[in-house]
Amino acid sequence: MSSSPADLHAWCFDHGRAHVFVAGTTPWCTAAWVGFVAASAEQALEAKQSAYGDARFFDQLCADHQLEVIEIRAARAEKPAEPEI
């Protein structure tokens, strides 16, 4: 699957893999993922590695990073969904 620069690249710590959410759509994953500003999957993986190291799953994160991921997910859940056009 190819992606456009406007797509949202993310790492999901529940599924242990990268996700790509198509621009202009609601992300389909409701698990513990963190989005990255990146033009490609490769750049997103580099950003994930820089921020979270080798952790693939949530339980592999240090306590501070676990809290960060929980807070990101909570903030996303509180944000009202934008209507699709």
Side-chain angles (χ1 to χ4, degrees):
M1 172 183 167
S2 64
S3 64
S4 86
D7 293 342
L8 175 61
H9 294 272
W11 184 265
C12 181
F13 288 104
D14 282 352
H15 296 121
R17 64 186 197 98
H19 292 332
V20 178
F21 303 116
V22 178
T25 66
T26 301
W28 46 265
C29 180
T30 58
W33 57 266
V34 176
F36 296 97
V37 176
S40 68
E42 292 80 17
Q43 288 179 358
L45 186 55
E46 289 173 9
K48 178 265 178 197
Q49 189 73 20
S50 176
Y52 299 103
D54 291 332
R56 183 172 174 201
F57 293 100
F58 185 80
D59 65 346
Q60 296 171 332
L61 293 167
C62 69
D64 288 343
H65 285 154
Q66 285 182 355
L67 181 58
E68 181 179 306
V69 171
I70 289 168
E71 289 172 345
I72 290 169
R73 184 177 184 201
R76 195 171 50 245
E78 291 174 2
K79 180 180 176 188
E82 295 179 14
E84 293 188 30
I85 299 173

